[in-house]
Amino acid sequence: MKEITDTPTLVDLSDLDAVTAGETPFEVEYIRKDGSGSGVFLLVLGGQSDKVQAEVNRLVNDRRKKQAQATAVGGAVEFTPIEDDIAFGHRLTAVRLVGWRGIKQDWSAENAFRLISRNSEIAEQVTAASNTLSNFMRLSSAA
């Protein structure tokens, strides 16, 4: 029979800091649809990291500002083609990708966007890895 203790196990608040933890890139291998490894390893930031959130906020604010300016000038609503929405989503994903190995070209923000916009399978894996807190946070208990 398991002994019950009066002292609960406590977690340090800093161990639950997803913002700070997400700033350290997590390396994930791109896995093909058949489940095999590709030899391509991607460095991904956590979705809650300051760097990712700052860039996401900037992109969203720029988009909103452009729409507000278009509405203010003549009161017309600006039409946004679906292609722009798709590219916007790719930019929101590409900001999470900060490096790689196993790809001939060096990492750059432009190359990250190119990779994400040309391979939805990789984009999905980057987003999933970035949103999985356990990739970044390691809980340690304190009594």
Side-chain angles (χ1 to χ4, degrees), residues 57-80:
N57 292 345
R58 185 190 70 75
L59 290 167
V60 171
N61 286 333
D62 286 352
R63 191 170 218 213
R64 287 181 178 175
K65 184 177 184 179
K66 182 179 174 186
Q67 290 170 340
Q69 288 171 338
T71 302
V73 177
V77 175
E78 181 181 315
F79 171 74
T80 303

Side-chain angles (χ1 to χ4, degrees), residues 26-31 40-44 125-126 129-130 135:
F26 176 77
E27 186 175 68
V28 60
E29 184 176 13
Y30 160 50
I31 303 298
V40 171
F41 294 86
L42 308 167
L43 292 174
V44 178
Q125 289 180 27
V126 166
S130 179
N135 289 339

Side-chain angles (χ1 to χ4, degrees), residues 15-132:
D15 290 339
L16 298 173
D17 184 350
V19 174
T20 300
E23 293 293 332
T24 302
F26 176 77
E27 186 175 68
V28 60
E29 184 176 13
Y30 160 50
I31 303 298
R32 296 182 183 105
K33 282 276 189 207
D34 67 4
S36 65
S38 66
V40 171
F41 294 86
L42 308 167
L43 292 174
V44 178
L45 293 177
Q48 294 184 50
S49 71
D50 281 332
K51 181 177 179 180
V52 169
Q53 286 302 303
E55 184 62 11
V56 166
N57 292 345
R58 185 190 70 75
L59 290 167
V60 171
N61 286 333
D62 286 352
R63 191 170 218 213
R64 287 181 178 175
K65 184 177 184 179
K66 182 179 174 186
Q67 290 170 340
Q69 288 171 338
T71 302
V73 177
V77 175
E78 181 181 315
F79 171 74
T80 303
I82 187 68
E83 294 84 359
D84 287 357
D85 290 338
I86 293 168
F88 183 72
H90 290 153
R91 291 202 183 287
L92 295 176
T93 300
V95 69
R96 300 163 186 248
L97 182 56
V98 295
W100 56 50
R101 60 186 176 93
I103 296 177
K104 182 177 180 180
Q105 289 78 10
D106 289 338
W107 178 91
S108 69
E110 296 80 26
N111 282 341
F113 177 74
R114 179 179 170 198
L115 176 65
I116 294 302
S117 65
R118 304 298 290 179
N119 191 316
S120 62
E121 199 171 274
I122 289 177
E124 290 170 10
Q125 289 180 27
V126 166
T127 300
S130 179
N131 288 337
T132 303

Side-chain angles (χ1 to χ4, degrees), residues 11-17:
V11 175
D12 189 291
L13 188 57
S14 64
D15 290 339
L16 298 173
D17 184 350

